[in-house]
Amino acid sequence: MAKRNFSSRQGGQWSDDGFSSKKMRTPDEVAVKFLLPNVVVGALLSRKAAALKRIRDQTCYNKDFVLKLSGKDQFYPGTKDERMIALVGPPPLVHRACCLLQDQIIDDPFLVTDESGTNDMGPRQGQLKIAVSDRAASKIIGSKGAVVKDISGHFNIAITITPSKEVIVPDERIVTILGPSRNVFDALEPLMHQISQQQTHISPEFEYYYQYSKTDGVKEEKKDDASEQTLTATAPDAGTQDEKEAKAEETSTEVKEGLVETSVEEPTERKYIRNPSESEAAEAEKVEESNKDLNAKEKPEEEAAIVKAEVEETAENAAESLEGINLLMINLPKINLAWIHLLMTNLLMIILLRTIRKIAQMRQ
């Protein structure tokens, strides 16, 4: 098939020779970019990318099929967290890959609580988004919107396409399908057919999106600079007003001070002299209080020493009684062991009672 000559527009169209030119494709081949939230990409790549491998096994058995995921920070321009998967191949395989990827969006449990879970169109789980070329979008719309109205009415869905005035990437537009999942999957088949009816398709590369995301950042920086300039322009006026107010306050305070000086007389100083007897009494009270504190600190120490001595004496008595019991056991081997145990327990009980009584007396 002969190739047409196109102007060198920066639309990211793909060719065998390189970037920034368009390739003539047969009706048996289409190219789209499936948009999916970054949270869902994490689920695809978890468990050694098991879900992504399963999708590839079901679609990439054809050698001409391409399934490529964008990088970690490569989001579609104009979105905050929409990653891209480039799909190139026969329309039935691209349709199947889109359905399998949409199933991942529907079944993802984290998408409900994530920031990307909802947008202006409603829940993200009920939306299928693909980026197509400008000519493919015009084929989907049809003459005076006849094709898009027919498909949306037949499958009871809603199809929205990025208006030409809001396009960020030249020659690319986003198609969003809203509705029940079954209806969305069924409507995607005639959409793939309409995309295959034209000969220019979107590029499967991602590097050229950087320049468009960069321009957005430059625009935001320009806005910030303009706002800062307006603030600095208004700042001198505010400063002059503050200076005027400060001067008015100074003059008013000076007038008030003059009035106060003329009307109020200086107060006479009063000196208070203490009697020597009062100072001596206060010092004596302080000395008595310090002695009381010292006595209060020394009393617990003395009591602790006395209790410690009593405990040591009881321990010595217990040791002596145990020695006596051991002598009895050595000298009287014929005595019954039960009687010996009774004697030991009684002696220990007597010793314990004596010590308890002494401790109680000391505390009283």
Side-chain angles (χ1 to χ4, degrees):
M1 185 179 290
K3 291 184 178 180
R4 296 179 185 176
N5 293 324
F6 295 96
S7 60
S8 60
R9 297 171 63 193
Q10 289 184 349
Q13 303 298 337
W14 177 64
S15 67
D16 294 332
D17 297 331
F19 173 69
S20 75
S21 63
K22 299 181 181 180
K23 180 185 175 182
M24 305 298 294
R25 293 182 182 273
T26 62
D28 295 333
E29 190 178 21
V30 296
V32 299
K33 282 178 180 171
F34 189 90
L35 304 184
L36 71 166
N38 195 23
V39 180
V40 183
V41 175
L44 280 173
L45 300 178
S46 63
R47 297 179 183 178
K48 297 181 180 180
L52 191 62
K53 288 178 182 178
R54 180 172 55 83
I55 294 170
R56 279 179 176 167
D57 292 339
Q58 296 183 24
T59 54
C60 293
Y61 54 84
N62 189 342
K63 294 181 181 180
D64 297 330
F65 191 83
V66 176
L67 190 151
K68 187 164 62 172
L69 177 65
S70 65
K72 184 178 180 181
D73 297 327
Q74 289 179 335
F75 303 118
Y76 193 83
T79 63
K80 294 181 179 179
D81 55 357
E82 293 285 346
R83 297 273 289 274
M84 299 165 282
I85 293 183
L87 303 171
V88 183
L93 293 180
V94 175
H95 174 261
R96 183 183 295 176
C98 288
C99 293
L100 292 171
L101 291 169
Q102 186 65 20
D103 283 334
Q104 293 293 321
I105 294 174
I106 294 168
D107 296 335
D108 194 284
F110 298 102
L111 187 59
V112 180
T113 57
D114 193 72
E115 292 180 358
S116 60
T118 56
N119 53 28
D120 296 336
M121 298 181 184
R124 181 65 178 85
Q125 291 175 327
Q127 303 169 20
L128 188 147
K129 292 186 176 185
I130 54 173
V132 299
S133 64
D134 192 17
R135 293 196 177 187
S138 62
K139 276 285 183 182
I140 294 169
I141 295 168
S143 61
K144 296 180 181 180
V147 177
V148 70
K149 287 178 182 178
D150 189 13
I151 294 172
S152 59
H154 185 269
F155 292 99
N156 193 20
I157 57 168
I159 299 172
T160 59
I161 299 170
T162 306
S164 58
K165 294 180 180 179
E166 299 177 4
V167 170
I168 298 173
V169 182
D171 294 333
E172 290 187 15
R173 297 169 82 174
I174 297 174
V175 179
T176 305
I177 310 170
L178 301 166
S181 59
R182 186 70 229 173
N183 297 359
V184 170
F185 295 157
D186 293 339
L188 192 60
E189 187 175 357
L191 291 178
M192 290 295 166
H193 176 71
Q194 292 297 322
I195 295 169
S196 66
Q197 294 302 308
Q198 50 86 41
Q199 296 173 344
T200 56
H201 295 274
I202 195 169
S203 169
E205 303 298 329
F206 306 110
E207 287 77 11
Y208 65 92
Y209 288 123
Y210 177 72
Q211 57 184 334
Y212 302 109
S213 60
K214 189 175 181 180
T215 55
D216 295 338
V218 170
K219 288 179 182 178
E220 290 178 357
E221 287 178 358
K222 287 181 179 179
K223 289 180 181 178
D224 294 335
D225 293 336
S227 62
E228 286 178 359
Q229 288 176 1
T230 55
L231 289 171
T232 53
T234 56
D237 297 334
T240 54
Q241 290 178 359
D242 293 335
E243 288 176 358
K244 290 178 181 179
E245 290 177 356
K247 287 179 180 178
E249 287 178 358
E250 286 177 358
T251 54
S252 63
T253 51
E254 287 175 357
V255 172
K256 289 179 181 178
E257 286 176 357
L259 293 171
V260 170
E261 287 176 358
T262 55
S263 60
V264 179
E265 295 180 355
E266 293 182 356
T268 57
E269 293 182 356
R270 294 181 180 178
K271 294 182 180 180
Y272 179 76
I273 300 170
R274 291 184 180 179
N275 294 323
S277 60
E278 292 179 357
S279 60
E280 289 176 359
E283 289 177 358
E285 288 177 357
K286 287 181 181 180
V287 171
E288 288 178 358
E289 288 177 357
S290 61
N291 291 328
K292 287 180 181 179
D293 294 332
L294 291 171
N295 293 327
K297 289 179 182 178
E298 289 175 356
K299 282 182 180 179
E301 293 177 357
E302 292 176 358
E303 291 178 356
I306 293 165
V307 171
K308 188 175 180 181
E310 293 292 334
V311 170
E312 289 176 355
E313 288 180 0
T314 53
E316 289 177 358
N317 294 328
E320 290 176 357
S321 61
L322 287 171
E323 288 177 359
I325 290 164
N326 289 326
L327 290 170
L328 286 171
M329 291 177 70
I330 292 165
N331 295 323
L332 301 172
K334 294 181 181 180
I335 298 172
N336 194 1
L337 292 174
W339 290 102
I340 293 168
H341 285 299
L342 287 171
L343 289 170
M344 289 173 67
T345 53
N346 289 327
L347 288 170
L348 289 171
M349 289 294 292
I350 290 163
I351 293 164
L352 287 171
L353 289 171
R354 285 180 178 177
T355 54
I356 289 164
R357 286 177 183 174
K358 287 181 179 180
I359 290 165
Q361 289 175 0
M362 292 297 298
R363 287 182 178 179
Q364 286 177 0

